[in-house]
Amino acid sequence: MTPTLKDVALRAGVSTSAVSRTFTDGASVSDKMRKKVEKAAAELGYSPNFIARSLTTRRTKLIGLVSDNFYNPVFLEVFDRFTRALQDCGLRPLLVNLSNETDPESSVRMLQQYSVDGVMVASSTLPPEFSKAFRDKNIPVVNTFGRHATSPDVHVVGIDNVAAGRMAARELISRGYKSIAFLGGPKRATSTLDRLEGFQAELALHPDVTFSYSFASAYSFHAGRAEILRLAEFGLAEAYFGGDDVLSVGILSGLQDLGKNVPNDVGLIGFNNMEMAGWENIALTTIHQPIAQIIASSVELMVAMLENPDRYPEARLFPCHVVERKTLRPIQSR
Amino acid sequence: MTPTLKDVALRAGVSTSAVSRTFTDGASVSDKMRKKVEKAAAELGYSPNFIARSLTTRRTKLIGLVSDNFYNPVFLEVFDRFTRALQDCGLRPLLVNLSNETDPESSVRMLQQYSVDGVMVASSTLPPEFSKAFRDKNIPVVNTFGRHATSPDVHVVGIDNVAAGRMAARELISRGYKSIAFLGGPKRATSTLDRLEGFQAELALHPDVTFSYSFASAYSFHAGRAEILRLAEFGLAEAYFGGDDVLSVGILSGLQDLGKNVPNDVGLIGFNNMEMAGWENIALTTIHQPIAQIIASSVELMVAMLENPDRYPEARLFPCHVVERKTLRPIQSR
DNA sequence: TGAAATCTTGCAAACGATTGCAAGCATATT
DNA sequence: AATATGCTTGCAATCGTTTGCAAGATTTCA
């Protein structure tokens, strides 16, 4: 149906090698030959079959893009940026959804069966072992949004979650809140734990503030809302660090229903700076995670690995910053 | 590096055909042979290479998933459902991002070069010609969220946008609003126009209500907000049908800033029922688009086409329904 | 002008699988 | 026991490309 190399060769009256060479750059072909071939190819509407090509070149230019997070708004941006950045490098994302928790094992095998050139693991909740499985099969892998501490043998790009936790704590303290709490997502996410660790460590420097923490059942609006409502029965803290923006908006909503004035009765700072945090009727003060840089750097790293698969693993960490909106009261000068 | 068919054959002391056959179901192999091969394969950690296989079977099980909408929250659900549904059928989504408006032409070629078995075009804004381009190359295509009227020669699954428009109008009328307006996204989206058409047609049945319309500059929060603020200078209608939920939340936010009481001063109904519409601090009354069914049906259709590529094109339209929240006042009994 | 150096080109062997065909082997039938 | 029948199995061709090698063509230089 679709024309092949041979068809073009026949029509142009040349060998298949000649045709092949005019379509692989850096190959030696005379201008005359190139013209002839290109003419025939154009007439036939030919373009090389990447799949067949990959058999000999051992490069599919396919990149596995695996994630288990299809419900956080920031992942819209993540997918958008990933696909664009990869496309710009001539790479193609093969999307893998791990949400259904079907054993990761099989995803690893599948990606191998498709001969992907590399894999991007975009998740902060997937265990490092998952990423390592690829490395063990000699497939270049970068764990975007991963935790660097526990996986020193796989490339990680993301943020320093404990630093982010400290940042949140400092912010809350600077606003003069004296009773401060952490309201995280499920404990299983290591990023949550790291954030908590930094948060707690920073707070420990201030003996005059009291600290508490709890975990919502999921990284969702309703989980955040339910948790703050539950907490209210025992008495609220003066300020909360929400584990994530959607959780935080749930907290905010609960607070509003409780008749609390945010930020005066209780302050709230989120994490991620998802788009909705900036909506005027939400106006959540939050910590911005530099997604654009993280992803650009991730694919940059990936293409570097494609050239040199034995590249020594590194962790690339980007700084966050707080974006001030309306859920924290002004900085208190003492 | 990774073991091949030949390696397994060698180790098992059988022909490559034998190995191949034990890995393709429906092939004739004795139990004894199968055991032997499976043992060798397991020892080597072999699994068949899909890419190489596809060369002879002419099936890659790759499905192009192309979209130009990476910033609407409902697309999180869309991607999640698509990838899962495809995975469940043993198909793999090759994600293509058309946002950057790089000519679609080249995406078509690229997908052809990867020998995708089919293409799902998930967009309500991409022109029907785009989908047709695949059909012309004999690649099965289904246009999810597409407009059925103008593309009778390509499979479309989605909703009846003019019916949805009528539904919105009926809803607003039943609440007793007398001055009603349509505030859509950019005109270029045919779905917008269809919705407007139905909306207007239904309103025309009620001579006592006045109608007006306008278009925001994008399908975004800020575009909706800016437009309603602009409109306010000339006097607002009593109720609005927002072209889409994120636009509507922008409108809602603008209305709130204007000091309007929603739903009493002005009513608002959105479209899509994105997750955030259900957040208690937003509580947008909206029309639910049955995304789950649409996508399930889309991939169902796709696998049917893979079996019978000449399947006669059909349009599958699913009914919407309004989900009541807090931006519309109660039904008025006269 | 001739020899050396450099480019072009085609042949044929891969790449990792599948599959039609015919031969080999059991088993069933008479 | 002889023949017919149905399963298994291996051979070899094929899928659409790339690429090392050697031969042929062209250019360079003295």
Side-chain angles (χ1 to χ4, degrees):
Chain A
M1 195 61 250
T2 54
T4 74
L5 203 55
K6 209 187 289 185
D7 299 326
V8 179
L10 233 56
R11 173 176 264 257
V14 302
S15 75
T16 58
S17 326
V19 181
S20 170
R21 284 195 256 256
T22 90
F23 282 97
T24 87
D25 34 31
S28 140
V29 258
S30 66
D31 275 1
K32 214 181 328 155
M33 172 67 81
R34 156 159 278 127
K35 286 275 187 305
K36 212 169 14 169
V37 172
E38 275 171 351
K39 179 156 175 293
E43 287 167 357
L44 259 36
Y46 168 83
S47 50
N49 181 322
F50 285 172
I51 296 289
R53 166 182 290 178
S54 80
L55 222 47
T56 47
T57 60
R58 334 218 60 159
R59 283 289 180 102
T60 53
K61 292 187 168 282
L62 251 26
I63 300 289
L65 177 55
V66 358
S67 181
D68 62 346
N69 191 344
F70 280 74
Y71 278 94
N72 191 317
V74 302
F75 268 71
L76 276 172
E77 182 180 353
V78 169
F79 289 133
D80 178 53
R81 291 194 183 275
F82 257 128
T83 52
R84 279 154 85 148
L86 289 172
Q87 282 174 194
D88 289 349
C89 303
L91 298 170
R92 306 296 159 185
L94 196 56
L95 194 54
V96 178
N97 187 338
L98 241 49
S99 308
N100 32 357
E101 206 58 42
T102 164
D103 70 324
E105 187 79 22
S106 78
S107 300
V108 175
R109 186 173 47 247
M110 178 244 118
L111 284 168
Q112 196 178 211
Q113 294 189 287
Y114 274 103
S115 311
V116 294
D117 287 350
V119 175
M120 322 242 27
V121 178
S123 166
S124 55
T125 54
L126 245 24
E129 289 73 39
F130 182 73
S131 299
K132 273 188 222 154
F134 292 103
R135 216 194 71 109
D136 292 346
K137 306 229 180 230
N138 269 307
I139 300 175
V141 56
V142 2
N143 186 183
T144 304
F145 303 118
R147 190 199 201 195
H148 73 107
T150 57
S151 49
D153 36 25
V154 110
H155 291 264
V156 166
V157 7
I159 58 162
D160 181 340
N161 280 295
V162 352
R166 302 194 94 104
M167 178 177 288
R170 270 195 306 273
E171 204 61 32
L172 262 22
I173 287 167
S174 74
R175 311 307 172 112
Y177 296 108
K178 292 301 180 198
S179 136
I180 295 183
F182 176 88
L183 205 173
K187 262 198 290 289
R188 58 180 178 77
T190 55
S191 51
T192 302
L193 266 14
D194 287 346
R195 245 114 76 181
L196 171 55
E197 181 191 323
F199 191 69
Q200 191 160 197
E202 186 71 24
L203 251 32
L205 269 31
H206 299 260
D208 57 324
V209 332
T210 72
F211 167 71
S212 62
Y213 66 90
S214 70
F215 300 98
S217 61
Y219 269 116
S220 71
F221 176 93
H222 286 104
R225 193 166 193 276
E227 183 62 14
I228 197 74
L229 259 21
R230 190 184 71 80
L231 256 24
E233 296 180 14
F234 310 101
L236 258 19
E238 286 176 23
Y240 288 87
F241 174 29
D244 153 83
D245 279 353
V246 356
L247 204 65
S248 299
V249 176
I251 296 172
L252 181 57
S253 167
L255 255 14
Q256 287 160 348
D257 281 15
L258 253 14
K260 300 293 179 189
N261 176 308
V262 177
N264 294 321
D265 295 344
V266 7
L268 174 64
I269 187 168
F271 186 83
N272 255 346
N273 193 26
M274 65 178 185
E275 194 192 331
M276 296 89 207
W279 288 358
E280 274 83 349
N281 48 354
I282 292 187
L284 177 70
T285 292
T286 189
I287 294 181
H288 175 85
Q289 177 167 27
I291 294 188
Q293 287 81 353
I294 289 175
I295 290 179
S297 182
S298 294
V299 342
E300 200 179 286
L301 191 50
M302 177 55 76
V303 329
M305 292 182 74
L306 294 182
E307 270 157 26
N308 174 18
D310 301 321
R311 204 170 210 279
Y312 195 78
E314 63 185 292
R316 297 186 174 184
L317 269 22
F318 290 85
C320 298
H321 65 265
V322 356
V323 358
E324 168 104 44
R325 283 194 272 251
K326 302 194 170 150
T327 58
L328 243 37
R329 64 192 183 199
I331 294 186
Q332 312 283 300
S333 46
R334 63 178 66 193
Chain B
M1 194 61 250
T2 55
T4 74
L5 203 53
K6 210 188 289 186
D7 299 326
V8 179
L10 233 55
R11 173 176 263 258
V14 302
S15 74
T16 57
S17 327
V19 180
S20 169
R21 286 195 255 256
T22 93
F23 282 97
T24 88
D25 34 32
S28 140
V29 257
S30 66
D31 276 1
K32 214 180 326 154
M33 172 66 81
R34 155 159 279 128
K35 287 274 187 304
K36 218 174 0 174
V37 171
E38 275 172 350
K39 180 156 175 293
E43 288 167 356
L44 259 36
Y46 168 82
S47 50
N49 181 321
F50 287 171
I51 296 288
R53 168 182 288 178
S54 78
L55 222 47
T56 46
T57 60
R58 333 221 60 159
R59 283 288 180 104
T60 53
K61 291 186 169 282
L62 249 27
I63 299 289
L65 177 55
V66 0
S67 181
D68 61 346
N69 191 343
F70 280 73
Y71 278 93
N72 190 316
V74 303
F75 267 72
L76 277 172
E77 182 180 353
V78 169
F79 289 133
D80 178 53
R81 292 194 184 273
F82 256 128
T83 53
R84 281 156 82 149
L86 289 172
Q87 280 173 197
D88 289 350
C89 303
L91 298 171
R92 306 295 160 186
L94 196 56
L95 195 53
V96 178
N97 187 338
L98 241 48
S99 309
N100 30 359
E101 206 59 41
T102 164
D103 70 323
E105 186 79 23
S106 80
S107 300
V108 175
R109 186 174 47 247
M110 179 243 118
L111 284 167
Q112 196 178 211
Q113 294 189 287
Y114 273 103
S115 312
V116 294
D117 287 351
V119 174
M120 322 241 28
V121 177
S123 166
S124 55
T125 54
L126 244 25
E129 290 72 39
F130 182 72
S131 300
K132 275 188 220 152
F134 292 103
R135 216 194 70 109
D136 292 346
K137 304 226 179 235
N138 268 308
I139 300 174
V141 55
V142 2
N143 185 185
T144 304
F145 303 119
R147 189 199 202 194
H148 73 106
T150 57
S151 49
D153 36 24
V154 110
H155 291 264
V156 165
V157 7
I159 59 163
D160 181 339
N161 280 296
V162 351
R166 303 194 93 105
M167 176 177 288
R170 271 195 306 273
E171 204 61 32
L172 261 21
I173 287 167
S174 75
R175 310 307 172 112
Y177 296 109
K178 293 300 178 198
S179 135
I180 295 182
F182 177 89
L183 205 172
K187 265 198 289 289
R188 58 181 179 77
T190 55
S191 51
T192 302
L193 265 15
D194 287 345
R195 245 114 76 181
L196 171 55
E197 181 192 323
F199 191 70
Q200 190 160 198
E202 186 71 24
L203 251 32
L205 270 30
H206 299 260
D208 57 324
V209 331
T210 71
F211 166 72
S212 62
Y213 66 90
S214 70
F215 301 98
S217 62
Y219 269 115
S220 73
F221 176 93
H222 287 104
R225 193 165 192 277
E227 183 63 14
I228 197 75
L229 258 21
R230 189 184 70 82
L231 256 25
E233 296 180 13
F234 311 100
L236 258 20
E238 286 177 22
Y240 287 87
F241 173 29
D244 152 83
D245 278 354
V246 354
L247 204 64
S248 299
V249 177
I251 297 173
L252 181 58
S253 167
L255 255 16
Q256 287 161 347
D257 281 14
L258 254 13
K260 299 294 178 188
N261 176 308
V262 177
N264 295 321
D265 295 345
V266 7
L268 175 64
I269 186 167
F271 185 85
N272 255 346
N273 193 25
M274 66 178 184
E275 194 192 333
M276 296 86 206
W279 287 358
E280 275 83 349
N281 47 353
I282 290 186
L284 177 70
T285 294
T286 189
I287 294 181
H288 174 83
Q289 176 167 29
I291 294 188
Q293 286 81 353
I294 289 174
I295 290 180
S297 182
S298 294
V299 343
E300 202 179 285
L301 189 51
M302 177 55 76
V303 330
M305 292 181 74
L306 294 182
E307 271 157 25
N308 174 18
D310 300 321
R311 205 171 208 279
Y312 195 76
E314 63 186 290
R316 297 187 174 184
L317 269 21
F318 290 85
C320 298
H321 66 264
V322 357
V323 358
E324 169 104 44
R325 284 193 273 250
K326 303 195 170 147
T327 56
L328 244 37
R329 63 191 184 201
I331 294 187
Q332 312 282 300
S333 46
R334 61 177 69 194

